[in-house]
Amino acid sequence: MSGKWSSASLPVKKRKLDGSSSSSGSASDIKQGGEAAMEDPPPTEIADTLNSLSASLENKPRNQDDNDNDDDDNEDDDDEKFLVYWKSLTQDDVLYRRLAIPLEDAIEFMPEPSKYKGRYKLAELKLMDHKKRMWNMKASFDELSNSYLFSENWDKYLNEYELEPEDVIFLYEVAPDDEHLHIEFHKRKLHNINPRKFLLYKKSLTRDDVFYRRLMIPLEDAVEFLPEPSKYKGRYGFLELKLMDHEKQMWNMRASFYEECSSYLVWENWDKYLNKYKLEPEDVILFYEDPINTNFLIEFRKRKLPERKNNPKDATD
């Protein structure tokens, strides 16, 4: 494999990682662009991103042993690694359990998409992780996004290493004759996240919200953070809502618009959210804008029960 290797947002030139570079797969030594641009420093935004992935991360590189006492005669193959692709995982990569790699990047290490009887054939990619475990992943080509979507075993890899949005994966070539690539990851730095939240909606739950297992949001409030209702073939469609709660659990809910009450009714998985946190009428829910991702944050406050008055008979002495 040869030529230019890149990620969708941060292109990199395929480059050998010599013995002085981090064995973690750090991209800190990889410059942007072609040969003519190799002498120029990368843009500030890219430089900040690359520096955040360097060996100074608080998490130890995922392929580095606890000791570095290997003899010179038994050097690790890391000296011959070539970075071929890297990506900061998106919400969709994690929540929908499939890794999307644009064709313009994947074509360097994947075959050209081809059809059989009018359908695109599945493509296979073999990956070895930092524990020498093999992952046989299969991908389908999606014309709409012009990307390969890796699904088979990608979910198991996510679960094995508890990867989250904004964690970064790296794909390497070690030996040209290998039939597999190597995969590594770095966990994101959480201290860079802006903790501020912006309140979008607040409601004291009604009996109907709880007992009929659907949350009613009046249109006059909903339009502040949800799209205007629209019809398709004379009917209102479903609205998808992604909500992250205070325990970092994702809730994929659906809402429908009802003209009779001029409100959105959130129903799918709302009952499960109620049950998990044992919400009752007069408990308060709060929707916040997520400053990092495209979903919303949801929290609740339990209602304040009236204070119990002391019974004089309970007093002693």
Side-chain angles (χ1 to χ4, degrees):
M1 293 183 284
S2 62
K4 184 175 180 181
W5 304 74
S6 61
S7 72
S9 57
L10 297 173
V12 296
K13 181 178 177 65
K14 181 180 177 184
R15 177 174 174 179
K16 180 177 178 179
L17 304 181
D18 58 31
S20 62
S21 60
S22 169
S23 63
S24 67
S26 167
S28 58
D29 292 331
I30 297 177
K31 299 181 183 293
Q32 179 189 18
E35 296 294 340
M38 290 299 287
E39 297 299 327
D40 296 330
T44 303
E45 180 180 354
I46 296 178
D48 291 341
T49 304
L50 298 182
N51 289 334
S52 72
L53 302 174
S54 67
S56 61
L57 283 171
E58 61 183 5
N59 297 298
K60 187 175 180 181
R62 293 302 190 271
N63 67 320
Q64 182 175 314
D65 294 331
D66 291 336
N67 58 73
D68 297 318
N69 297 324
D70 294 341
D71 295 334
D72 292 339
D73 294 338
N74 296 314
E75 289 184 345
D76 196 288
D77 286 341
D78 288 342
D79 290 348
E80 299 297 328
K81 288 196 305 184
F82 292 89
L83 178 65
V84 299
Y85 179 74
W86 67 281
K87 180 182 185 182
S88 177
L89 297 180
T90 65
Q91 285 275 343
D92 287 352
D93 291 328
V94 176
L95 299 180
Y96 292 130
R97 325 303 281 175
R98 90 285 181 278
L99 172 66
I101 301 182
L103 180 61
E104 62 183 4
D105 302 312
I107 200 63
E108 300 293 347
F109 53 92
M110 294 291 291
E112 284 273 4
S114 60
K115 289 184 176 181
Y116 177 71
K117 294 184 178 181
R119 300 182 62 181
Y120 285 103
K121 296 188 292 185
L122 292 178
E124 186 173 344
L125 179 63
K126 296 181 180 180
L127 301 172
M128 178 183 287
D129 67 18
H130 62 285
K131 294 181 178 179
K132 309 301 182 186
R133 179 176 175 181
M134 292 297 302
W135 300 86
N136 295 322
M137 299 191 186
K138 289 185 178 180
S140 57
F141 179 69
D142 178 53
E143 282 188 340
L144 188 61
S145 61
N146 196 38
S147 300
Y148 267 114
L149 303 181
F150 292 83
S151 55
E152 186 171 317
N153 289 323
W154 170 247
D155 59 335
K156 296 178 182 178
Y157 182 79
L158 287 176
N159 293 337
E160 177 74 16
Y161 298 114
E162 300 179 348
L163 299 187
E164 302 174 302
E166 297 184 38
D167 290 345
V168 182
I169 61 162
F170 301 86
L171 300 183
Y172 295 97
E173 175 191 330
V174 174
D177 296 333
D178 279 351
E179 295 183 353
H180 63 269
L181 297 178
H182 290 240
I183 183 171
E184 298 172 10
F185 64 88
H186 279 298
K187 301 293 287 182
R188 62 177 174 168
K189 280 189 173 181
L190 296 179
H191 66 265
N192 289 330
I193 293 179
N194 182 354
R196 292 190 302 163
K197 297 182 297 185
F198 301 93
L199 182 64
L200 299 172
Y201 181 64
K202 178 179 179 181
K203 183 181 184 182
S204 177
L205 297 179
T206 66
R207 288 181 64 86
D208 287 353
D209 291 328
V210 176
F211 294 115
Y212 288 124
R213 325 304 279 174
R214 87 286 180 280
L215 172 66
M216 177 182 289
I217 304 178
L219 182 60
E220 60 184 6
D221 298 317
V223 293
E224 298 296 329
F225 60 99
L226 297 177
E228 287 277 358
S230 60
K231 289 184 177 181
Y232 177 71
K233 293 184 178 181
R235 299 181 62 181
Y236 289 105
F238 296 125
L239 181 65
E240 302 282 349
L241 296 178
K242 296 180 181 179
L243 304 169
M244 179 183 290
D245 68 20
H246 63 286
E247 294 182 352
K248 307 302 182 186
Q249 179 175 341
M250 290 300 305
W251 298 87
N252 294 320
M253 299 188 186
R254 281 185 175 182
S256 304
F257 180 71
Y258 285 82
E259 289 184 338
E260 295 83 354
C261 56
S262 189
S263 300
Y264 273 111
L265 299 184
V266 182
W267 47 276
E268 185 169 309
N269 288 321
W270 170 247
D271 58 336
K272 296 178 181 178
Y273 182 78
L274 288 175
N275 291 338
K276 177 169 182 178
Y277 296 114
K278 300 178 180 178
L279 299 186
E280 302 173 303
E282 297 184 40
D283 291 344
V284 177
I285 61 157
L286 306 101
F287 283 15
Y288 293 94
E289 178 185 356
D290 189 336
I292 302 302
N293 303 300
T294 57
N295 47 267
F296 301 111
L297 305 177
I298 185 172
E299 296 180 3
F300 65 86
R301 304 284 185 269
K302 299 296 288 182
R303 62 176 175 168
K304 291 185 178 180
L305 298 176
E307 294 183 4
R308 182 181 177 184
K309 296 182 180 180
N310 292 328
N311 191 331
K313 295 182 179 180
D314 294 337
T316 57
D317 301 332

